[in-house]
Amino acid sequence: MSLLTFTTIYAQRPASGPPLTAGEEKVFLLGADSITINKLPDGTEIRRVVNKVIFRHKGALMYCDLAIHNVASNALEAYGHVKIVQGDTVTVTGDTLFYYGNSRLAKVSGKVVTLKDRKRTVTSNRIEYDMASGVAFYPDRGKTVDAENTLTSKQGYYDTRTKISTYYHDVKLVNKKYTLTTDTLVYNSLTKMADFRSPTKVVSKDGTVIAKNGSYNTETGESVFRTRTTIDNPDYTLTGDSLSFDNLNKKGFAKGNVELVSKNDETILNGDFGQYNGKLGRSKVWGHALTRTVISKDTLFMTADTLYSIEIQGAKALPTKKASKNVIDSDTSDAQKPRQLIGYKNVLLYKKDLQSKCDSLIYNSLDSTITFLKKPIIWSGKYQMEADSIVAQLINQKLRTMYLKAKSFVIAQDTLFNFNQVKGRRITAFFDDSTRLERVFVEGNGESVYFAANEANKPMGMNRVECAKMTLNFKRNQVNRIQFVGQPDGRFIPPQGVKAEDKQLDGFNWRIKEKPTKTDVLAKTNFKPKPPKIVKPIEKPQDKTNQTVKKEVLKTKVKPKLKKL
């Protein structure tokens, strides 16, 4: 008795099948050129259909050249020119199809397998498509392409209904404006939002973003980063514990351990919060704000409630250290944009040759001036200067001239620890190449106290002079010569006649204890410099020959004889 029953049917394709029913449970054969029906002893019917095969299930059509259809398990195997059409939105093509009708899972494989909807195409050599949920999965390397982006990864999911894709391992998203690489990415084709939860790099013509957790709008360039992130471009580097950035308008906001590095003028801003506006060339940092600016092999440290770095619009670019002296006239490709560095409220400044406390401060790199506002006090060496406002002029990045305006007071401590003093409405102080006080010019209600000493540095007495205008010349912190304009009113007091009250002009206040140090500035901002890397010295190889000789010498060394007791 035969175990199988074979029935071969050759039939014309039906002119029309039953009406489409979205809720039908069984896979329905719409047509084929030939059908071979195999019946197993248990009654299971296996159909082999050949040429121009069409199946339908749950409203989806499946095409192939040859198919094996298990009627009982509601599954089929399809080979050759496989195509699935689901509604008018999704089409899947490949070489081989395994379809499980009860779960509606389609496994398509081939040299090139594609899943297309209206706006994107997924390509791989294997795609598993859950027709019930509309989710496609490729377990091997695949690619998703739409009008703006090409996205590749080792594994990926695509939800044809929500248009949300999830990609894993060696993920790369390429757009004409940027390239994004990561290890895990969730991408919404409708909102154009890319969400990542692993180390990610976004590279564009405007710079590079390094992040671990965030969202990126691939259309507008707007982004939100939830962990420590760095944005790096040719002009600056912005880093923060969390960060948002608008690439179109070139605006960034950072929060937590913010660091903004201006590459053109070697300026670093640190703080709790930071803002950057690339179009206007403005940066703002506040909350434990600190700036470090390199000035002629020295670093200017400054803290304030708020720090600003503002590009001076319309000004000619300045040469960088790498550029030649004539770079402004010849080529600005290696030139830096002149900027204003502003400290607002509670300013402390430290530079090796200059320290200050003031309400606000403006450093202008275009003319190398520092303006101190609202009753500032400045120390330079053994000099102390106060006024309602002060302007410091730097030449070759060294302090050369100081302009004190209104209620000006200059104190210079000499080698005998006496205080030479000058006060007036306006004072201009000149410094030599070593930043030592060289000359002081006083205009309006000038008063001075200066101590005289001989060549042996022995005190000779003290002078008190009042004059509308006067010029005092200093040498080694001592008044060497004085010139008056108009009739001076003065007196000389010998050493034995100098009283304590005569030694000080009205308003004298030696505030050396308030002079900020580098440590003071850094401590106020809770900034901790990175410790230098300790490089272990390379050990020289030992001379084995010499060691062998030493061992042989020890072996042959004569031991002393012990005397018997």
Side-chain angles (χ1 to χ4, degrees):
M1 180 182 291
S2 175
L3 297 177
L4 300 174
T5 301
F6 301 93
T7 303
T8 303
I9 302 173
Y10 297 92
Q12 294 291 328
R13 187 172 301 280
S16 62
L20 295 177
T21 305
E24 63 190 4
E25 297 300 328
K26 291 295 183 179
V27 175
F28 183 80
L29 176 64
L30 281 181
D33 284 353
S34 68
I35 305 173
T36 301
I37 300 175
N38 304 326
K39 285 192 175 182
L40 301 178
D42 62 359
T44 301
E45 184 177 303
I46 306 296
R47 298 177 179 180
R48 185 178 185 273
V49 290
V50 181
N51 292 333
K52 300 180 181 179
V53 180
I54 305 176
F55 287 93
R56 188 184 73 206
H57 188 234
K58 296 283 187 178
L61 298 176
M62 289 166 276
Y63 302 82
C64 65
D65 295 335
L66 181 145
I68 307 298
H69 180 202
N70 189 318
V71 177
S73 64
N74 206 29
L76 62 86
E77 301 174 23
Y79 303 92
H81 300 95
V82 170
K83 182 167 72 170
I84 301 173
V85 179
Q86 190 176 31
D88 59 351
T89 56
V90 179
T91 301
V92 184
T93 60
D95 299 329
T96 302
L97 164 66
F98 291 87
Y99 180 67
Y100 307 91
N102 294 337
S103 63
R104 299 181 66 192
L105 176 63
K107 294 184 177 181
V108 185
S109 59
K111 189 174 181 180
V112 178
V113 180
T114 63
L115 182 148
K116 292 184 179 180
D117 61 13
R118 291 174 179 173
K119 293 187 177 181
R120 61 205 51 80
T121 301
V122 180
T123 306
S124 182
N125 57 17
R126 283 199 298 161
I127 291 179
E128 297 180 6
Y129 179 43
D130 187 335
M131 295 169 65
S133 65
V135 176
F137 166 65
Y138 56 83
D140 300 324
R141 182 166 289 279
K143 178 169 67 175
T144 303
V145 179
D146 60 24
E148 296 88 18
N149 307 294
T150 298
L151 205 153
T152 57
S153 66
K154 286 186 176 180
Q155 293 182 353
Y157 292 85
Y158 173 52
D159 191 323
T160 61
R161 297 174 183 177
T162 65
K163 311 305 179 187
I164 296 175
S165 306
T166 305
Y167 303 96
Y168 300 98
H169 312 303
D170 294 340
V171 183
K172 186 175 183 179
L173 193 157
V174 179
N175 184 289
K176 62 182 180 180
K177 298 178 182 178
Y178 63 89
T179 298
L180 183 152
T181 55
T182 185
D183 194 62
T184 303
L185 179 71
V186 178
Y187 178 63
N188 189 319
S189 300
L190 297 178
T191 63
K192 308 299 182 183
M193 290 299 299
D195 292 290
F196 46 88
R197 302 291 187 273
S198 60
T200 302
K201 178 187 286 187
V202 183
V203 180
S204 69
K205 65 178 182 179
D206 297 318
T208 301
V209 178
I210 305 290
K212 289 184 179 180
N213 185 317
S215 302
Y216 186 83
N217 190 310
T218 62
E219 189 171 51
T220 65
E222 293 179 294
S223 51
V224 176
F225 306 103
R226 303 175 190 91
T227 58
R228 191 152 186 83
T229 301
T230 297
I231 295 177
D232 184 26
N233 72 20
D235 295 326
Y236 72 94
T237 298
L238 176 62
T239 304
D241 290 346
S242 63
L243 194 148
S244 61
F245 190 72
D246 180 353
N247 194 52
L248 182 64
N249 296 305
K250 292 181 171 49
K251 291 182 178 180
F253 173 77
K255 178 181 178 182
N257 297 309
V258 175
E259 181 170 279
L260 194 149
V261 180
S262 175
K263 297 179 180 179
N264 292 324
D265 55 7
E266 297 185 81
T267 297
I268 303 174
L269 298 175
N270 294 89
D272 296 335
F273 304 92
Q275 285 182 345
Y276 175 79
N277 188 319
K279 287 188 175 181
L280 298 179
R282 293 183 178 182
S283 305
K284 174 184 175 182
V285 172
W286 66 98
H288 299 96
L290 170 71
T291 182
R292 292 165 285 161
T293 303
V294 176
I295 300 177
S296 186
K297 297 182 181 181
D298 188 13
T299 302
L300 183 150
F301 296 85
M302 182 172 69
T303 179
D305 290 355
T306 307
L307 293 171
Y308 300 86
S309 180
I310 301 173
E311 182 182 321
I312 301 174
Q313 302 293 334
K316 287 186 177 181
L318 301 174
T320 61
K321 291 184 177 181
K322 297 179 182 178
S324 65
K325 293 182 180 179
N326 297 323
V327 69
I328 297 177
D329 298 324
S330 59
D331 181 16
T332 59
S333 61
D334 194 25
Q336 68 185 42
K337 299 174 182 177
R339 307 183 72 84
Q340 282 188 338
L341 184 63
I342 301 173
Y344 179 71
K345 293 294 183 182
N346 301 310
V347 174
L348 287 183
L349 178 144
Y350 174 84
K351 191 172 175 287
K352 286 182 179 179
D353 60 351
L354 186 69
Q355 300 82 43
S356 176
K357 285 180 64 176
C358 61
D359 178 83
S360 301
L361 177 151
I362 302 172
Y363 169 65
N364 190 323
S365 66
L366 183 63
D367 57 8
S368 295
T369 59
I370 305 176
T371 302
F372 304 83
L373 301 170
K374 293 189 178 181
K375 298 182 179 180
I377 178 168
I378 296 174
W379 297 268
S380 180
K382 294 187 177 182
Y383 315 112
Q384 175 181 296
M385 286 153 277
E386 293 182 80
D388 283 354
S389 65
I390 301 175
V391 177
Q393 177 70 58
L394 306 180
I395 297 178
N396 295 325
Q397 304 304 328
K398 289 185 178 182
L399 178 63
R400 297 307 296 265
T401 311
M402 195 90 75
Y403 303 95
L404 290 76
K405 300 178 181 179
K407 299 179 182 178
S408 307
F409 207 125
V410 177
I411 304 172
Q413 189 178 43
D414 63 19
T415 55
L416 297 175
F417 302 99
N418 294 312
F419 295 103
N420 294 305
Q421 304 152 55
V422 182
K423 62 180 294 188
R425 281 201 302 267
R426 293 183 302 276
I427 293 179
T428 305
F430 301 90
F431 299 82
D432 61 16
D433 291 336
S434 301
T435 322
R436 287 191 297 258
L437 190 61
E438 188 176 54
R439 189 169 73 258
V440 172
F441 176 60
V442 185
E443 296 180 273
N445 301 326
E447 297 181 59
S448 69
V449 167
Y450 61 94
F451 294 83
N454 59 23
E455 294 181 356
N457 205 26
K458 293 289 182 68
M460 297 175 59
M462 185 192 76
N463 287 283
R464 284 187 67 113
V465 181
E466 295 182 12
C467 188
K469 295 182 180 180
M470 65 178 77
T471 301
L472 292 87
N473 296 277
F474 287 79
K475 186 176 182 181
R476 290 192 293 272
N477 294 342
Q478 293 182 333
V479 177
N480 183 49
R481 186 164 54 92
I482 187 168
Q483 297 170 291
F484 302 99
V485 177
Q487 186 64 36
D489 181 10
R491 57 195 176 100
F492 175 79
I493 306 172
Q496 62 274 16
V498 176
K499 298 178 182 179
E501 58 270 21
D502 295 328
K503 291 183 177 181
Q504 299 178 358
L505 294 175
D506 186 32
F508 174 88
N509 186 8
W510 182 242
R511 298 164 59 185
I512 195 65
K513 291 183 179 181
E514 299 177 40
K515 177 180 174 181
T517 64
K518 177 180 173 181
T519 302
D520 294 334
V521 174
L522 298 181
K524 185 178 178 182
T525 60
N526 295 330
F527 179 80
K528 296 180 180 179
K530 294 180 181 179
K533 293 182 179 180
I534 299 174
V535 181
K536 293 183 179 180
I538 300 175
E539 294 183 1
K540 293 182 179 180
Q542 295 181 349
D543 190 344
K544 294 183 179 180
T545 305
N546 190 34
Q547 286 183 349
T548 304
V549 173
K550 287 181 178 179
K551 288 180 180 179
E552 293 299 324
V553 170
L554 290 173
K555 285 181 181 180
T556 57
K557 188 174 181 181
V558 180
K559 295 181 179 180
K561 293 182 179 181
L562 297 174
K563 292 182 180 182
K564 293 182 179 180
L565 297 173

